[in-house]
């Protein structure tokens, strides 16, 4: 387990409430955050990586097909570690932070989108944030190199790796270094969000206010938005996982879920 410098505590927010509209009809009856990647639910891939970090507690927000996600999270392996919160209406990332401010207050927070595939050295990401990020930065953004820059949020950095400009899904962006939408966030950012009733969108309302205070760490592993069938099909070929011989009841039921056959038929 990673020991953070100065025994800093990390809490985690996993966003898992999305509708998965671009993945329909796959998401008509199965949530995007539980889509199998080489047989393993996406949310489980996240939690297994987070487990290796020195985290205090994890919060997962729920909305679409909440009962399926809740059934996944109520397994014994996540007891006393992972909590969930239901949003009757989607609040936006910043809105979720405000609605659960006391959960995160005063501590560093790892923010991830539970419906993206990310396999990388999260421990190095955390170490960079606590020990190496430039002075004055309140956020560390994970970045990655994309082969389709015009479909991503491209960032421009200064010589210290600090974000100076954003280019959100423009036709000819200046480079291919993209925002992975994974962040380590210091308490002052959450305080700023909590003090502003009109702020609900993290990307469009929060990040622009912290330009010049966002350091970056490049993910040289796997980073993929599995939001459409083509990307989901590609993801199946990018990672493999050891076969788990000690399955719990949820995993046994999941193994026979028709979603596996549906994904195997993707081109």
């Amino acid at each position: 387990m990673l020991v953070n410098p100065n025994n800093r505590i990390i809490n985690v927010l996993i966003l898992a409430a999305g509708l998965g509209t671009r993945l329909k009809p796959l998401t008509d009856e199965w949530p995007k955050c539980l889509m199998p990647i080489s047989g393993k639910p996406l949310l489980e891939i996240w939690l297994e990586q987070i487990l290796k970090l020195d985290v205090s507690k994890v919060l997962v927000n729920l909305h679409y097909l909440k009962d399926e996600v809740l059934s996944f999270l109520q397994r014994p392996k996540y007891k006393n570690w992972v909590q969930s919160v239901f949003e009757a209406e989607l609040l936006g990332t910043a809105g979720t932070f405000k609605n659960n401010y006391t959960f995160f207050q005063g501590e560093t927070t790892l923010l991830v989108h539970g419906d993206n595939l990310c396999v990388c050295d999260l421990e190095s990401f955390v170490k960079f944030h606590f020990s190496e990020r430039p002075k004055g930065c309140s956020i560390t953004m994970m970045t990655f190199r994309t082969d389709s820059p015009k479909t991503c949020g491209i960032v421009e950095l200064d010589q210290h790796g600090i974000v100076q400009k954003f280019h959100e899904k423009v036709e000819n962006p200046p480079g291919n270094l993209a925002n992975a939408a994974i962040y380590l966030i210091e308490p002052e950012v959450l305080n700023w969000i909590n003090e502003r009733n009109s702020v609900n969108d993290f990307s469009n309302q929060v990040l622009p206010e912290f330009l010049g205070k966002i350091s970056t760490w490049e993910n040289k592993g796997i980073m993929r938005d599995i939001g459409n069938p083509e990307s989901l099909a590609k993801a199946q070929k990018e990672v493999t996982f050891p076969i788990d011989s000690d399955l719990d009841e949820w995993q046994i039921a999941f193994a026979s879920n028709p979603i596996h056959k549906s994904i195997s038929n993707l081109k």
Side-chain angles (χ1 to χ4, degrees):
M1 177 169 288
L2 173 68
V3 178
N4 293 326
N6 303 317
N7 295 316
R8 296 290 298 273
I9 295 174
I10 300 175
N11 290 331
V12 182
L13 173 59
I14 301 180
L15 301 171
L19 305 179
T21 305
R22 292 179 295 149
L23 270 179
K24 285 184 173 293
L26 293 175
T27 49
D28 284 344
E29 296 183 1
W30 195 248
K32 182 180 176 184
C33 67
L34 293 182
M35 285 293 159
I37 308 294
S38 295
K40 186 182 289 289
L42 188 53
L43 190 51
E44 190 152 27
I45 297 172
W46 269 115
L47 289 170
E48 286 182 353
Q49 292 183 93
I50 290 170
L51 182 62
K52 299 175 184 177
L53 304 177
D54 186 13
V55 300
S56 176
K57 50 193 176 182
V58 177
L59 184 68
V60 181
N61 75 330
L62 311 178
H63 175 72
Y64 181 65
L65 296 176
K66 68 176 179 66
D67 291 340
E68 283 77 4
V69 185
L70 194 59
S71 175
F72 168 86
L73 292 174
Q74 287 178 335
R75 296 150 65 193
K77 66 190 297 182
Y78 301 129
K79 187 178 181 181
N80 300 322
W81 174 48
V82 182
Q83 302 178 44
S84 63
V85 59
F86 172 66
E87 297 178 3
E89 296 182 2
L90 291 173
L91 301 175
T93 301
T96 298
F97 272 132
K98 282 192 290 188
N99 219 41
N100 300 278
Y101 178 68
T102 56
F103 186 95
F104 301 103
Q105 185 179 12
E107 297 168 353
T108 302
T109 297
L110 171 63
L111 168 64
V112 305
H113 288 72
D115 55 5
N116 287 337
L117 174 63
C118 173
V119 180
C120 71
D121 188 352
L122 279 183
E123 293 188 21
S124 291
F125 181 47
V126 172
K127 286 181 180 177
F128 173 86
H129 179 78
F130 284 126
S131 303
E132 302 174 37
R133 79 180 191 274
K135 186 177 180 180
C137 290
S138 303
I139 300 172
T140 298
M141 169 193 293
M142 185 182 292
T143 60
F144 70 105
R145 299 288 173 177
T146 177
D147 55 6
S148 55
K150 67 181 182 180
T151 67
C152 298
I154 299 300
V155 294
E156 283 191 67
L157 313 180
D158 67 9
Q159 66 271 28
H160 303 294
I162 299 173
V163 178
Q164 301 298 307
K165 290 183 180 179
F166 295 105
H167 303 271
E168 188 63 35
K169 297 180 181 178
V170 298
E171 189 62 32
N172 294 297
N176 68 343
L177 188 65
N179 177 6
I182 299 168
Y183 312 93
L184 282 159
I185 304 167
E186 287 303 296
E188 57 263 30
V189 179
L190 301 184
N191 294 343
W192 185 93
I193 293 171
N194 193 54
E195 292 165 359
R196 289 161 174 79
N197 292 332
S198 62
V199 171
N200 295 297
D201 188 292
F202 191 82
S203 295
N204 296 317
Q205 293 180 290
V206 179
L207 290 181
E209 296 294 328
F210 286 86
L211 275 178
K213 298 181 180 180
I214 304 172
S215 62
T216 56
W217 180 89
E218 185 177 342
N219 172 5
K220 296 183 179 179
I222 296 170
M223 188 72 226
R224 179 171 294 282
D225 172 6
I226 57 104
N228 61 62
E230 181 183 6
S231 291
L232 182 58
K234 287 181 179 178
Q236 310 303 319
K237 303 173 184 178
E238 290 180 315
V239 292
T240 57
F241 302 100
I243 296 175
D244 191 345
S245 59
D246 186 20
L247 303 180
D248 60 28
E249 291 184 8
W250 189 92
Q251 289 171 306
I252 293 171
F254 177 63
S256 61
N257 191 304
I259 192 64
H260 297 283
K261 183 177 181 180
S262 298
I263 289 178
S264 69
N265 291 332
L266 294 176
K267 303 296 184 182

